[in-house]
Amino acid sequence: MNGKKLLYLLLAVAMLVSLAACNGAKPAEETTVSNPPVSGNESEPQSGGEEQPAEEPRDTMVYATATFGQKFSPFFATTAYDMEVVDLVCTTGLLPYDRGGAMILDGMNGTTRTYNGTDYPYEGMANCEIVQNDDGSVDYNMTMRDDIVFSDGKPADIDDVIFGIYVCMDPTYDGNSTLYALPITGVEEYRSGMDSRGNAIFADGENGYTENDKYTEDQYNEFWAYYNDQAGADFAQEIVDYCISNGYNSADDSVAACAANWGYELEEGATAKDFWDAIVAAYDTVEEAEEVETAGSTRLQLTVANLGEAYQTGVETGESAPNIAGIIRTGDYTMTVHMDSYDATAIYEMAFGVNPLHYYGDEALYDYANNSFGFKKGDLSGVKAKTTVPLGVGPYTFEGYANGVVTLKANPNYYKGKPAIEYLQMKEAVDSDYVPGTITGTFDFSTPSINDATLKAIKDANSNDELTGDVLTTYLIDYRGYGYLGINADLVNINNEPASDASKALRKGFMTLFAVYRDTVINSYYGDRASVIQYPISNTSWAAPQPADEGYRQAYSLDVDGNQIYDPSMSAEQRYAAAREAAIGYFKAAGFTYDEEAGKFTDASATYEIMIPGSGEQDHPAYGVAIAASEVLEELGIKLQVNDVVTSTWNNAIEGNTAMMWAAAWQASLDPDMTQVYRSDNAHGKGTNSNHYSVDDADLDALIDAGRASADTEERKSIYRDAMDIIMDWGCELPLYQRKNCYVASSIRVDNETMPKEMTPFHNWYSEIEALEVK
């Protein structure tokens, strides 16, 4: 796997984890339960012979999951699997998501949101009022319910929230929350003047010890010895662990097999140190190697983490403020977060966890009025000591982790009501065992990787040969991203005028032909694993147009005069013919001369190129689309060269803005802000060089800026709909497909009527777990 590609993936995953990190029993020495409940998956009573006693009602659901990192902390969880435990024990935060990923700001007393034309109820622990002030600053006024109780019976209030915020804002905090990056008034002043002892040593450099009051000479020498001799091997080992936990290795779980996934050939028996040496040898500098070939942590982070508490504790490096001026307690259940400027993405950080001060902190050290927030600033050792045993306000309590199984028990104090399923066992397994285990009864529920073999196994298990039947029930959930075809307007235009009507018509001629073949090709390539989408945004986003919306239509389904190209009665062949005629109209509008008798254009002399990253094996969902369109274009006298290239060639062409047309996929962010991808100051190699379409449109820029400046979700949705219309009018992007993830439940042992309806990445199988039942 390419290191940069992994980095992008990890950044997306880290964002999700960070959003939950500061979101939101007596400490146990052991993390196991003395008498764990049975799984409830015993064999059915045998027929015949003696009469079997009545089967006891099942009170346990077994969920198959991957290997835990055992950091079950709302502050320090690092894997998605650990975060699931945190979500179930600590909850996802004061403000929940709706099915489209928008924050619910008025859920304290219950509210409804429409999704795909259906109204759904939601309930949260707080309300949030956003006030944009005349000076450009903004206030987030939070009001929390006064009846929230922790699972140990102690009441929760706003001080528990403020405590958690200060943990994540601490100068030595090394978890995944990025709350400190927001423009909250006073954050920089509070975090300045202190750093962890390890970071302070690193900042002072490896130039020899100089006496100071931050660290000793022994600590200095120990730090640099570890950093230079061991941290590189730790860095490589983290990559190895990542490959193993995600099942990437095709051979075995050796270092050499893992290194092969990163493109490195190592000898059998190679060590993590050998892997690190190979990585360093491939780059001009060690720093470049570390930046690109990452599995999440830097050598500095690994050194500080592995050397222990002494190097993680804060030391003073200068002056700092005693508090964060923008975190304002206004009552026992209310607070205000004051930011110097508005940031549309900030609301996703405002979910805030309700993390028990009395458990993770020290109540004797909490005195808001005197700038004490539940722990000594710079010392998070008490918080970290509870990393393996979480406690919170979630639907379940943590009973223990033993033998690869996390056992959770229904929380009678949960604010939505005690869950119907008494025990939830989260059992470690490998992905290939998820479906077979759900069939045999080892598991009741699983989330397998979706591929043809998985879908076949599901269908084979059901007597009706469908994905849902008498043995298994399958839920296909849209993946948070989408595939597309792109065109660079700077390279595909008429007379070097990318924004002209003729240039737009040229590109829309290509897009009209690409678009008509999507249904056939995508269905053939993916089957049930993906669906065709119509707008340049992931279907999972709250801003995505829905089929029930007024004016919703298929991508590139209007001809040059604005008339519908297709009607519902058309067969596939008729649609192909209609698209061909519509494309001819667009190419005429682009200025090409069409010979009616010959049935082709006589002056389309340029050769256009589309790059498909199929590594020369034609293995890409866009390949068939491009080939089908190229054959029609050739009949029309227009040359489209389809190049099936290796990933590095494709990536270099896109990043270098030399790709005329290409196929790729976006990883969708939580917020639909379009600045990075479509704003003109990121085009033509400028800014972040991420607008590879070279769309340069003042009206689009204005809409993007308006969307980013608004705190009104409905207003922003309307703005982004108008922006997408402009993007499509430029003819620079064709949405191709939305891939699917899947959940698989036992039809025999799970009451699937109680599963949440229309699940999404933001409203998943345990979003309504209090109502979920087993049979």
Side-chain angles (χ1 to χ4, degrees), residues 424-561:
L424 178 63
Q425 290 188 340
M426 307 174 75
K427 184 176 292 188
E428 294 176 341
V430 295
D431 192 289
S432 59
D433 288 341
Y434 285 2
V435 171
T438 310
I439 293 170
T440 61
T442 302
F443 313 119
D444 299 317
F445 189 85
S446 58
T447 57
S449 298
I450 187 169
N451 52 48
D452 289 338
T454 296
L455 296 182
K456 183 178 186 303
I458 294 170
K459 291 178 179 179
D460 287 348
N462 289 326
S463 62
N464 62 0
D465 199 32
E466 300 288 342
L467 290 176
T468 292
D470 53 347
V471 176
L472 298 176
T473 297
T474 304
Y475 301 90
L476 297 177
I477 314 298
D478 283 339
Y479 173 72
R480 200 166 59 87
Y482 69 97
Y484 72 94
L485 285 179
I487 297 180
N488 186 329
D490 280 349
L491 303 178
V492 181
N493 59 63
I494 302 297
N495 297 328
N496 292 318
E497 297 176 350
S500 70
D501 289 341
S503 294
K504 291 177 181 178
L506 170 64
R507 295 189 293 268
K508 283 190 277 190
F510 284 109
M511 290 304 198
T512 299
L513 288 174
F514 290 141
V516 75
Y517 293 104
R518 293 177 303 161
D519 286 336
T520 301
V521 174
I522 298 304
N523 183 62
S524 174
Y525 188 92
Y526 277 120
D528 294 313
R529 295 183 289 134
S531 59
V532 172
I533 61 173
Q534 309 301 338
Y535 287 86
I537 187 171
S538 171
N539 273 352
T540 62
S541 172
W542 55 262
Q546 301 297 326
D549 292 349
E550 183 179 352
Y552 183 94
R553 62 173 178 266
Q554 296 178 23
Y556 299 101
S557 60
L558 300 181
D559 66 18
V560 71
D561 296 317

Side-chain angles (χ1 to χ4, degrees), residues 441-771:
T442 302
F443 313 119
D444 299 317
F445 189 85
S446 58
T447 57
S449 298
I450 187 169
N451 52 48
D452 289 338
T454 296
L455 296 182
K456 183 178 186 303
I458 294 170
K459 291 178 179 179
D460 287 348
N462 289 326
S463 62
N464 62 0
D465 199 32
E466 300 288 342
L467 290 176
T468 292
D470 53 347
V471 176
L472 298 176
T473 297
T474 304
Y475 301 90
L476 297 177
I477 314 298
D478 283 339
Y479 173 72
R480 200 166 59 87
Y482 69 97
Y484 72 94
L485 285 179
I487 297 180
N488 186 329
D490 280 349
L491 303 178
V492 181
N493 59 63
I494 302 297
N495 297 328
N496 292 318
E497 297 176 350
S500 70
D501 289 341
S503 294
K504 291 177 181 178
L506 170 64
R507 295 189 293 268
K508 283 190 277 190
F510 284 109
M511 290 304 198
T512 299
L513 288 174
F514 290 141
V516 75
Y517 293 104
R518 293 177 303 161
D519 286 336
T520 301
V521 174
I522 298 304
N523 183 62
S524 174
Y525 188 92
Y526 277 120
D528 294 313
R529 295 183 289 134
S531 59
V532 172
I533 61 173
Q534 309 301 338
Y535 287 86
I537 187 171
S538 171
N539 273 352
T540 62
S541 172
W542 55 262
Q546 301 297 326
D549 292 349
E550 183 179 352
Y552 183 94
R553 62 173 178 266
Q554 296 178 23
Y556 299 101
S557 60
L558 300 181
D559 66 18
V560 71
D561 296 317
N563 301 313
Q564 287 288 341
I565 299 173
Y566 314 109
D567 70 65
S569 67
M570 286 182 171
S571 66
E573 292 301 323
Q574 289 171 325
R575 287 173 61 85
Y576 301 154
R580 185 181 190 277
E581 289 305 308
I584 290 172
Y586 278 116
F587 291 134
K588 286 179 179 179
F592 293 166
T593 302
Y594 186 68
D595 185 329
E596 298 287 347
E597 186 175 341
K600 63 173 55 181
F601 292 94
T602 58
D603 55 353
S605 57
T607 297
Y608 300 93
E609 177 194 27
I610 183 168
M611 302 182 79
I612 309 294
S615 299
E617 309 214 347
Q618 305 173 12
D619 185 16
H620 193 281
Y623 184 81
V625 170
I627 287 294
S630 70
E631 292 172 352
V632 176
L633 288 165
E634 186 172 9
E635 294 173 0
L636 297 177
I638 299 173
K639 178 66 174 177
L640 176 64
Q641 183 174 314
V642 181
N643 286 337
D644 182 7
V645 298
V646 297
T647 302
S648 58
T649 301
W650 162 85
N651 185 67
N652 292 338
I654 295 174
E655 293 298 319
N657 298 306
T658 60
M660 280 184 163
M661 308 180 194
W662 68 93
W666 287 119
Q667 169 74 47
S669 60
L670 279 168
D671 190 82
D673 175 41
M674 297 177 170
T675 301
Q676 186 174 7
V677 179
Y678 300 112
R679 209 179 188 288
S680 62
D681 49 10
N682 291 321
H684 322 299
K686 298 183 299 182
T688 59
N689 186 36
S690 48
N691 178 355
H692 299 301
Y693 311 105
S694 299
V695 173
D696 194 336
D697 191 294
D699 291 338
L700 178 59
D701 287 349
L703 287 170
I704 291 172
D705 292 345
R708 190 175 178 86
S710 174
D712 186 315
T713 298
E714 289 305 311
E715 179 185 30
R716 295 185 75 204
K717 186 172 183 177
S718 176
I719 288 170
Y720 290 133
R721 174 64 183 270
D722 292 342
M724 284 184 271
D725 287 342
I726 292 177
I727 293 164
M728 303 291 275
D729 185 58
W730 269 70
C732 286
E733 181 174 343
L734 170 66
L736 277 182
Y737 58 86
Q738 179 97 43
R739 286 198 297 108
K740 306 280 186 179
N741 291 328
C742 79
Y743 300 148
V744 176
S746 168
S747 302
I748 300 169
R749 297 179 302 280
V750 175
D751 183 353
N752 285 284
E753 290 298 316
T754 63
M755 195 70 72
K757 304 298 185 287
E758 289 199 273
M759 288 181 282
T760 74
F762 312 106
H763 195 84
N764 62 22
W765 68 271
Y766 57 78
S767 294
E768 302 171 23
I769 198 165
E770 69 280 359

Side-chain angles (χ1 to χ4, degrees), residues 103-114:
M103 302 302 298
I104 296 172
L105 307 184
D106 57 349
M108 193 165 74
N109 298 313
T111 188
T112 60
R113 291 282 181 88
T114 302

